[in-house]
Amino acid sequence: MLNEERIKEQYQLALLDRKEGKTLENHRVFYRGDYISKELLKSFFSGTIFFMAVTFLMLCRDLDRLMVEVNKIDYEVFAMQFVAVYLAFISIYLIITYVIYALRYEKQKHQVKIYRNHLKKLNKLYAKDEKDK
């Protein structure tokens, strides 16, 4: 015999799993610090690649001016400025990444609670059915 309440709970679980399955799985697998650290590491590498690509494109754009002034450039000052701009960029980028993924983790925490409540309810329904048999 079909238990209507149990089917409703299974439907809710399937709906949550389909809608937020990957994000809920991340929350179940990782602790908060691990999740944010993983995303910060990915952002560090992607931010560095982005910064280098933009720097390369800017150098290509101003290549004619750079070739004229190549002997006048103080490379020590240029390197210090480059490092300072890079550190400022990557710091801001990582702070933004931290805030975004911390907020996402907290949102996922709420969704996991809902998911667990549905699982508990479904478990109780199964236990009740087993007890009735």
Side-chain angles (χ1 to χ4, degrees), residues 45-58:
F45 287 114
S46 65
T48 299
I49 291 169
F50 173 76
F51 183 80
M52 294 301 174
V54 169
T55 302
F56 177 74
L57 290 175
M58 289 174 64

Side-chain angles (χ1 to χ4, degrees), residues 60-122:
C60 288
R61 183 190 68 184
D62 294 334
L63 194 58
D64 55 342
R65 188 177 63 112
L66 183 65
M67 294 307 261
V68 171
E69 297 180 7
V70 75
N71 292 329
K72 300 175 190 174
I73 296 174
D74 184 6
Y75 291 107
E76 192 173 310
V77 172
F78 178 75
M80 296 283 269
Q81 288 175 343
F82 181 79
V83 169
V85 170
Y86 170 73
L87 290 176
F89 168 78
I90 205 72
S91 297
I92 292 169
Y93 190 69
L94 290 177
I95 289 169
I96 291 170
T97 299
Y98 179 84
V99 169
I100 289 171
Y101 284 100
L103 291 174
R104 283 186 186 175
Y105 191 85
E106 291 304 316
K107 180 183 172 210
Q108 291 171 4
K109 189 178 188 179
H110 177 69
Q111 293 295 329
V112 167
K113 282 183 183 179
I114 292 171
Y115 191 83
R116 284 185 181 152
N117 287 339
H118 284 295
L119 277 177
K120 285 178 185 177
K121 197 170 186 182
L122 186 62

